[in-house]
Amino acid sequence: MTDFVGRRRELKELREDIARTGLDTLSGRKAKAPRARVLLVAGRPGSGRTALAEAFVREVADQYPDGVLRTRLTAPGGETVATELAVRGLLEGLGHATPPGAGEDELSAALRDAVADRRLIILVDDAADPHQVDALLPDTPECLVVVTAEGPLTGIPDVRPCTLGGLDTPSAVELLAQRIGDTRVTADPRAAEALAEECGGQPAALGLVGGWLAAHPKASVSDVAKQLHDMPVGTGGALARGFRLVYESLPQPAQRTLRLLPLAPAGIVDSHTASALAGCSVAAAQSTLDDFAGLGLVRPSHDGLYLLPGCLAPLLQALLEAKERPAEVQLARARMLERTVRLLHSCRAMAAPAEGTDDGVDPREKLDGTPRALRFPDRRAAATWLDTRLPALSAAASLAVADGELDTLARRLVAALVRALADHRGTAEAAPELYGLHRLVLDVAERRNLHREQAAALLNLADLDAETGRTQEALERYRAALDAGRAANDPYATGRAMESVGGAYQELTDWHRAADWFGRALSQALARGERADEARLYGRLGNVHTYAGRYGEAMRSWRAAAAGYRKLADVPGQAKALSEMARVQEYAGHPEESLHTCREAVELARRAGDQRLQAALQVRLADTLDRLGDPAAARLHRSAADRLLGDDPAACEIRSGSD
């Protein structure tokens, strides 16, 4: 937008504040723990508080060699950003992976650990309350935290706010000259000073008025100053008057587009968002956004994105409520969500090659009926779009779910975003985002009593809990999923939930309960004739019985698993089941039986072409032969394993059929 001007006194105060003696030291008390120095820049929206904070950070950045982290705690629309999201973003900025579903305390502790040995700056923009900031504070005086807020943060000790008013007149005129050029200011310096005074020295108001003058080169600076001066008192402050000047000069279609921008999730706008909201072409929307950027109504970001200034959000929201009928607003929101769903489908289609799809059809062919404007040229472009739009996409999903009147669209949007993230990033990398999305699905499902969707969301959340070691939380969700699956009369969900409950108990080493729940899942599979599930569940039972030392039951379960895989003509599965049975026979003190079973498994692995399994079984045979007193035969089998695996002996490890 514009370069930073003025504020030399404020910058000097902030620099001096870094080294200022703390209140605890002055009073003779020793601080409980060393913490980062917190500097606060306080001012009303539009006062230039963020610009001052950024300018200050640039001045002192060389003293903090580990860089600058940035986060925003209030969305442009005024919504408070969840502390978990803010902390997660800072951790990701440091290159630290964050476990999905982690709470605020866990994430805050992780952030403090991550910055413990660093000397860096954390710039916290638009803090709404001290609790938000406290969760971000490093426990080291080597770091600096710079916060912007509308007022003082009384909950954080030893913070002295640098409170902003308007710019002094020379600085305000300089800022105006940056927008309209030195010539017009030099031609009538008194008019420029008068205009600066009418804007109250407020940078946001000066930016709007300067943008309007730049777009109207023949307009007189003195006339604009007079026009602002003559506006009715009820128009509001300097920012409101400057905004009114710009807004009323726009054509009617542009006015309507501007009024609808508060509907853009997270205040992030691109040509597709504006096009869908206003019901115009993408090209027309892009042209309008470029004009808005020139006028200071939006701020250009990167990759075709524009940010809605937070100081304008209340003014735009008031216009939206006064000028647009609720039905039209809901229709605009629905158009935007529908467009987002179509873009996500297109984005996902670019992620998978033709041979990677279930039907072998090139994903691009599935987009034949999609307008060119909604397509991506290649996978990289689609992935970049997903990455840059993810904050807006996540906010769109949250807002759609919170709305409550667009639940069908909300479910489609969340499902499309989940699939796009999983296909482009992989489930493991996308897990933190997926966790939040599955919680949104659960919200909709619970609100509408959609038991099948509720069960699916609970299972997905529980799986993510289990993968990150929160086994007890996973167990509770698996049980809730079982109840929802029963309410939906969904045998797949109930069977999956029962098996997962068993898996959670197995992780907790409660072998008795694990066997009980695997047995329940097996009974359902047997009743429904689901042979693949039967074989797998027999294997899981065999595994649990083995851990519990119940070798007789374990051998019966593995024998049943092998028989099940044989009926399915699943040779690798049968070989693995027999290999596990051989292991149990050896544990039970029957080495000759183990040797026979293991040889049978080796032959099946050879037929299946599974060299790793063959090699692992050869090693098992060698160990058994050693125990039977035949070292020569054991050496032969180890040599065979080496030939199969080359220089990768670690691959000899056999995983049980329950893995």
Side-chain angles (χ1 to χ4, degrees):
M1 187 165 166
T2 59
D3 293 331
F4 178 78
V5 298
R7 305 294 194 194
R8 305 319 304 173
R9 177 181 58 81
E10 290 87 349
L11 287 169
K12 182 174 181 291
E13 286 181 7
L14 289 168
R15 283 194 300 272
E16 292 173 348
D17 211 15
I18 295 178
R20 178 173 55 86
T21 301
L23 296 177
D24 286 315
T25 303
L26 288 172
S27 62
R29 297 194 305 269
K30 186 177 180 180
K32 292 181 180 178
R35 303 195 81 179
R37 167 68 79 190
V38 180
L39 305 182
L40 173 61
V41 180
R44 295 179 61 81
S47 62
R49 61 194 184 195
T50 301
L52 174 60
E54 289 283 4
F56 172 72
V57 166
R58 288 193 297 271
E59 284 197 2
V60 300
D62 59 343
Q63 301 173 35
Y64 298 88
D66 292 313
V68 181
L69 297 175
R70 292 174 172 82
T71 188
R72 184 183 178 91
L73 297 184
T74 303
E79 305 87 4
T80 299
V81 174
T83 305
E84 292 92 334
L85 289 178
V87 181
R88 194 182 294 279
L90 292 174
L91 283 166
E92 290 172 356
L94 290 167
H96 286 245
T98 57
E104 178 185 322
D105 291 342
E106 181 181 351
L107 290 170
S108 293
L111 177 62
R112 292 185 175 109
D113 289 342
V115 302
D117 299 322
R118 299 175 189 250
R119 186 175 176 86
L120 52 73
I121 301 173
I122 300 178
L123 177 53
V124 182
D125 196 17
D126 211 357
D129 62 67
H131 171 75
Q132 288 180 297
V133 178
D134 188 68
L136 310 179
L137 295 183
D139 286 333
T140 169
E142 299 302 310
C143 292
L144 176 67
V145 179
V146 181
V147 184
T148 73
E150 187 165 351
L153 298 175
T154 54
I156 300 177
D158 198 23
V159 176
R160 183 172 61 188
C162 174
T163 305
L164 297 187
L167 291 168
D168 59 81
T169 300
S171 297
V173 171
E174 182 183 350
L175 183 58
L176 187 63
Q178 289 180 353
R179 300 303 305 269
I180 67 175
D182 292 331
T183 303
R184 294 167 81 181
V185 170
T186 305
D188 194 350
R190 290 191 176 180
E193 291 176 0
L195 182 56
E197 291 177 7
E198 290 298 333
C199 292
Q202 194 171 12
L206 286 162
L208 289 171
V209 174
W212 186 91
L213 280 167
H216 298 80
K218 294 184 179 181
S220 163
V221 175
S222 59
D223 287 345
V224 174
K226 185 176 184 303
Q227 189 175 346
L228 290 177
H229 181 76
D230 292 341
M231 283 187 181
V233 176
T235 305
L239 180 60
R241 293 200 300 272
F243 174 75
R244 178 181 172 185
L245 171 75
V246 176
Y247 173 77
E248 291 182 350
S249 70
L250 296 174
Q252 288 294 331
Q255 286 186 359
R256 184 167 188 272
T257 300
L258 185 62
R259 290 197 299 269
L260 292 169
L261 289 189
L263 300 178
I268 300 172
V269 189
D270 64 7
S271 55
H272 278 290
T273 303
S275 165
L277 287 172
C280 64
S281 69
V282 175
Q286 183 64 58
S287 177
T288 300
L289 288 174
D290 290 339
D291 291 341
F292 288 170
L295 292 166
L297 294 167
V298 295
R299 295 172 184 154
S301 181
H302 54 84
D303 296 309
L305 297 178
Y306 299 84
L307 304 180
L308 187 65
C311 62
L312 297 184
L315 300 171
L316 291 172
Q317 186 64 39
L319 276 174
L320 178 67
E321 294 171 0
K323 300 282 188 180
E324 298 291 331
R325 292 178 298 178
E328 289 294 328
V329 172
Q330 196 71 322
L331 180 60
R333 184 180 284 114
R335 283 197 305 264
M336 178 184 64
L337 295 179
E338 182 64 40
R339 176 75 60 88
T340 304
V341 170
R342 297 184 70 184
L343 283 165
L344 283 167
H345 285 321
S346 179
C347 175
R348 183 196 179 201
M350 301 305 298
E355 60 270 17
T357 59
D358 293 337
D359 52 13
V361 177
D362 189 329
R364 292 175 179 81
E365 294 181 14
K366 298 179 179 180
L367 299 175
D368 283 346
T370 303
R372 185 174 299 277
L374 301 184
R375 300 189 194 187
F376 298 95
D378 51 42
R379 178 182 180 133
R380 177 178 293 182
T384 298
W385 176 86
L386 183 62
D387 290 341
T388 57
R389 268 66 171 181
L390 186 56
L393 292 169
S394 299
S398 298
L399 291 171
V401 170
D403 181 271
E405 297 182 14
L406 297 169
D407 278 347
T408 300
L409 259 177
R411 289 158 58 202
R412 289 176 56 216
L413 173 59
V414 173
L417 183 51
V418 165
R419 294 183 184 118
L421 282 168
D423 287 355
H424 275 281
R425 297 186 176 185
T427 303
E429 183 182 343
E433 288 80 15
L434 296 178
Y435 198 94
L437 292 170
H438 291 315
R439 284 200 292 199
L440 290 176
V441 173
L442 183 60
D443 288 344
V444 177
E446 289 177 340
R447 184 165 64 217
R448 295 175 62 89
N449 290 321
L450 302 172
H451 299 297
R452 182 173 282 105
E453 286 85 347
Q454 186 177 350
L458 286 164
L459 287 169
N460 288 326
L461 287 167
D463 287 345
L464 291 170
D465 283 330
E467 289 169 11
T468 51
R470 294 193 299 274
T471 309
Q472 195 61 49
E473 292 88 338
L475 179 59
E476 293 172 7
R477 281 199 163 116
Y478 284 135
R479 285 182 171 277
L482 178 59
D483 292 339
R486 285 170 172 163
N489 194 25
D490 184 342
Y492 168 79
T494 54
R496 165 103 145 72
M498 285 189 286
E499 182 177 352
S500 297
V501 169
Y505 278 123
Q506 180 177 335
E507 187 67 24
L508 294 169
T509 67
D510 189 337
W511 313 124
H512 176 74
R513 284 192 174 92
D516 176 49
W517 282 98
F518 286 146
R520 297 187 197 191
L522 176 61
S523 296
Q524 177 174 295
L526 289 167
R528 295 178 57 81
E530 296 164 342
R531 292 187 174 182
D533 291 341
E534 293 172 24
R536 184 187 67 257
L537 287 162
Y538 272 124
R540 300 205 74 169
L541 271 171
N543 206 28
V544 169
H545 288 318
T546 303
Y547 282 130
R550 297 190 290 266
Y551 298 132
E553 294 177 69
M555 281 189 285
R556 285 192 292 274
S557 294
W558 282 117
R559 188 175 289 110
Y565 285 122
R566 185 179 66 250
K567 292 176 183 177
L568 292 166
D570 183 348
V571 179
Q574 185 182 357
K576 290 175 183 176
L578 287 175
S579 75
E580 291 300 322
M581 191 168 77
R583 179 162 64 101
V584 176
Q585 288 170 331
E586 188 167 338
Y587 290 164
H590 307 297
E592 292 85 358
E593 292 179 21
S594 174
L595 192 65
H596 174 76
T597 304
C598 204
R599 283 172 173 156
E600 186 180 353
V602 168
E603 176 58 24
L604 288 169
R606 186 191 63 76
R607 283 170 48 195
D610 190 334
Q611 289 190 345
R612 287 179 179 271
L613 181 58
Q614 285 184 71
L617 289 166
Q618 294 283 6
V619 172
R620 182 167 290 165
L621 276 170
D623 292 342
T624 304
L625 287 166
D626 272 334
R627 280 186 281 274
L628 288 173
D630 192 348
R635 284 195 296 273
L636 288 175
H637 284 289
R638 287 199 175 88
S639 297
D642 290 341
R643 287 194 300 273
L644 287 165
L645 289 177
D647 296 327
D648 186 19
C652 289
E653 178 186 355
I654 297 180
R655 291 182 177 270
S656 72
S658 65
D659 284 357

